[in-house]
Every structure is written in structure tokens, then in C-alpha cells.
Amino acid sequence: MFSFIRTVKLVAAVLMAAATLAGASTESRAQTGTVRLHIVKAGFIVGVGGGSGTLIYQGKRYPLSIGGIGVGSLGVAAVDLVGTAHNLRTPADIAGSYAAAGASATFVGGAQVARLQNEKGVVLEVHGIQAGFQVSLGLGGMTIALQ
């Protein structure tokens, strides 16, 4: 009887350890990449924007195209952004529509800082300097595609 109880406890411990390791390996598969984006916007009331960029993921470069429409913009602006893309499992995960993740998009003396998230859970944290005049660059709502 003692041997049977000990065997059951051992099997339970092994199963719990395996479940813990399986959960940890799933989370560790999500990786971080580096992004560089060049975005240009122009508009009066309705703004149109687009651009290009690069994702560097696991040592490889992937070209990106960027599109998006902003409402309430005024003027012309260009911004070069650099940052990180979190929660990538494959390079294709970066493709999608991005919205502001929280209220973290800000302008400070021409500087642009934004935290954006797509429907796949990829989070872009980017920063850069805006050149030109535009009341609202409005990065939320942009769409990124792999070329």
C-alpha cells in the first residue's frame, strides 16, 4: 500500500513538472524583434499616411509597408521611428492593424513615443522625432504588411 501511494505521488509530481515546463516553453517562443519605420502623413481634416520599414527578427531583415488614415489631422509631417516588436512568434505576426495600447502616444517637443498593439498581440514600442507640421500624427489605426 505504501509503495502504491508513493508511486501515485511521484506520477503526480512528474505530471505537474511537465505541465509547468510545457507552459514555460510556450511563453518563451514569443520573441522580440527590432523595427524601423518611416511614416509620412498629409492632410486637412482627413489625413492620409503611409510609409515603409524593416523588421529585424532572428537576424533576418523583413521589409514592411505601412498604411493608415487619420481623422482630424492638419498639415504635413514625416517621422522616423525605431523600437521593438514584442510577442512575435513568426515574422508574419507583425502584419495587421495597430491601435494605441493604452493612452501612451505622446508628443514632446517634436518627439513621438507610441505603444501600439495589433490583433495578434504584437506590441510595438517605438520612438522618434517628427519633422514638419502636423497637429496630430495619429499612429493609432495604422496597418503594417510584410512585403
Side-chain angles (χ1 to χ4, degrees):
M1 180 75 131
F2 178 70
S3 164
F4 176 74
I5 293 173
R6 201 164 104 188
T7 303
V8 170
K9 286 182 180 180
L10 179 64
V11 169
V14 169
L15 289 175
M16 288 176 63
T20 301
L21 289 174
S25 67
T26 301
E27 289 178 19
S28 67
R29 290 188 345 181
Q31 307 245 340
T32 299
T34 303
V35 292
R36 292 187 173 274
L37 308 174
H38 175 74
I39 300 170
V40 178
K41 279 195 78 162
F44 178 73
I45 303 192
V46 175
V48 179
S52 60
T54 304
L55 166 67
I56 300 172
Y57 179 70
Q58 296 183 340
K60 295 182 183 175
R61 292 181 178 271
Y62 299 90
L64 305 172
S65 63
I66 302 161
I69 297 174
V71 177
S73 65
L74 172 66
V76 177
V79 66
D80 288 306
L81 302 169
V82 295
T84 55
H86 301 279
N87 302 330
L88 293 168
R89 287 184 169 59
T90 69
D93 287 346
I94 199 162
S97 296
Y98 285 81
S104 60
T106 60
F107 295 95
V108 179
Q112 173 73 44
V113 177
R115 181 178 165 94
L116 308 163
Q117 185 171 350
N118 75 5
E119 64 277 3
K120 297 172 192 162
V122 174
V123 175
L124 296 181
E125 292 179 342
V126 293
H127 63 277
I129 302 295
Q130 177 178 323
F133 167 74
Q134 186 153 16
V135 174
S136 173
L137 187 58
L139 290 175
M142 76 175 177
T143 302
I144 294 179
L146 284 172
Q147 290 183 335

